[in-house]
Amino acid sequence: VRRRADVEVFVQFARRRRVWNLKDPLALRYYQLNDEEFWLYEQLDGRRSIRELCAEFGRRFAPRRLAEQTLAGFLQQLHQVG
């Protein structure tokens, strides 16, 4: 799975938390991601499988884990919104 190259990314802080904003230049829509979701978005380079991404997520955000089904659902949401 590969992220779109034309999506614009900028960061804001809301209530002392970082929020990643993605702007879809075609649909002129904005989407907000937390740090973990944005990290996943950044990893979408088309080279890693869902299984590999889940394993990397577990190493980076331990003790949190990410089930393959959960990641597949997140990817489906990203695809549906642009």
Side-chain angles (χ1 to χ4, degrees), residues 26-47:
L26 300 177
L28 299 177
R29 297 173 111 184
Y30 291 85
Y31 309 98
Q32 294 185 333
L33 303 177
N34 63 34
D35 284 336
E36 293 164 346
E37 292 167 333
F38 183 70
W39 181 84
L40 285 167
Y41 173 78
E42 284 287 290
Q43 306 312 302
L44 302 178
D45 58 8
R47 296 183 303 188

Side-chain angles (χ1 to χ4, degrees), residues 40-56:
L40 285 167
Y41 173 78
E42 284 287 290
Q43 306 312 302
L44 302 178
D45 58 8
R47 296 183 303 188
R48 285 170 269 215
S49 68
I50 287 178
R51 178 172 287 157
E52 290 169 323
L53 288 173
C54 288
E56 288 181 39

